[in-house]
Amino acid sequence: QSVLTQPPSVSAAPGQRVSISCSGSSPNIGSNYVAWYQQLPGTAPKLLIYDNSQRPSGIPDRFSGSKSGTSATLSITGLQTGDEADYYCATWDSSLSAGVFGGGTKLTVL
Amino acid sequence: QVQLQESGPGLVKPSQTLSLTCRVSGDSIDSGYSWTWIRQAAGRGLEWIGRVYTSGSTNYNPSLKSRVTLSVDTSKNQFFLRLNSVTVADSAVYYCARVSAVTLMGFDIWGQGTKVTVSS
């Protein structure tokens, strides 16, 4: 059971917008920055978003992140078939003094 | 560019110790970053194992803390994972990663991962 809760799967058509939620609590999302990772099949995860909404160099602006209270959201616009992947949220948990991941969300681009 | 490469035995017997090395190339390991290990069991999500600073300071996943040790050898530009008393539940792909200098959970460079199977 993950400390952070994500929907197991989401789907949308090419060109559409999709949002993936990540729900936590006060000692984790409520108190710390959130990061998001994309994991394409058979590959290592890649950092998409850090500090709730910042994109590393090279990440297109189709990917955006936000945080409100104890929840965070990753949004992807202009969906492409190449966006089909697993997406994970992550943050620090101040009560555990440890990093925590969400359970992951599988994105299907129909 | 900075690259990370995991290495270690692909097969470990139950109750034995799993030892992995992450070699950092393209930059000094002692350049202001910390370093982390993450694992992923087959068909499962990511699990944070712990983080090590080049000072030797560490943080561990509470569920693994009694069995795991992370360390660094700056002279070799490597960092290490040791996991004691392994069981089949420790079978996973193990990734090493660099922790961004600006955020706690921003792992900006990853190794390709190494698969470890625990079996007799």
Side-chain angles (χ1 to χ4, degrees):
Chain A
Q1 194 78 354
S2 302
V3 172
L4 306 178
T5 301
Q6 297 180 235
S9 63
V10 297
S11 62
Q16 296 297 305
R17 171 191 170 113
V18 70
S19 294
I20 298 172
S21 61
C22 176
S23 178
S25 57
S26 180
N28 43 70
I29 292 180
S31 303
N32 294 286
Y33 288 119
V34 176
W36 289 92
Y37 294 87
Q38 177 194 60
Q39 187 176 32
L40 297 170
T43 70
K46 179 171 78 171
L47 180 64
L48 280 182
I49 298 288
Y50 67 96
D51 286 0
N52 303 333
S53 60
Q54 303 302 305
R55 284 186 307 276
S57 174
I59 301 299
D61 60 7
R62 299 189 300 108
F63 296 91
S64 63
S66 64
K67 184 183 109 170
S68 178
T70 58
S71 294
T73 301
L74 171 70
S75 297
I76 311 172
T77 59
L79 273 175
Q80 303 172 1
T81 55
D83 296 331
E84 282 204 342
D86 294 322
Y87 292 83
Y88 295 90
C89 58
T91 190
W92 189 256
D93 190 297
S94 299
S95 64
L96 298 174
S97 291
V100 290
F101 283 98
T105 298
K106 182 176 181 60
L107 168 63
T108 301
V109 181
L110 302 168
Chain B
Q1 72 280 21
V2 179
Q3 292 184 314
L4 278 61
Q5 178 67 59
E6 306 90 348
S7 61
L11 181 64
V12 181
K13 288 180 167 38
S15 80
Q16 294 192 339
T17 296
L18 181 165
S19 295
L20 297 177
T21 297
C22 183
R23 183 175 65 90
V24 179
S25 60
D27 193 11
S28 169
I29 196 172
D30 200 9
S31 56
Y33 297 96
S34 57
W35 307 89
T36 191
W37 288 93
I38 294 120
R39 70 180 182 179
Q40 185 172 35
R44 305 292 296 272
L46 302 173
E47 181 179 27
W48 185 82
I49 297 172
R51 175 182 63 185
V52 60
Y53 293 85
T54 51
S55 63
S57 177
T58 54
N59 298 101
Y60 295 125
N61 184 324
S63 69
L64 299 170
K65 189 172 184 177
S66 63
R67 298 193 292 128
V68 68
T69 303
L70 303 186
S71 59
V72 174
D73 186 333
T74 55
S75 67
K76 293 183 178 179
N77 236 37
Q78 296 175 344
F79 63 105
F80 311 98
L81 163 70
R82 282 176 57 88
L83 183 64
N84 301 326
S85 306
V86 297
T87 70
V88 294
D90 294 310
S91 297
V93 175
Y94 285 76
Y95 296 100
C96 61
R98 187 181 80 172
V99 184
S100 165
V102 300
T103 188
L104 279 176
M105 289 296 285
F107 310 142
D108 57 0
I109 298 175
W110 293 65
Q112 66 185 24
T114 187
K115 183 176 179 180
V116 176
T117 301
V118 179
S119 175
S120 54

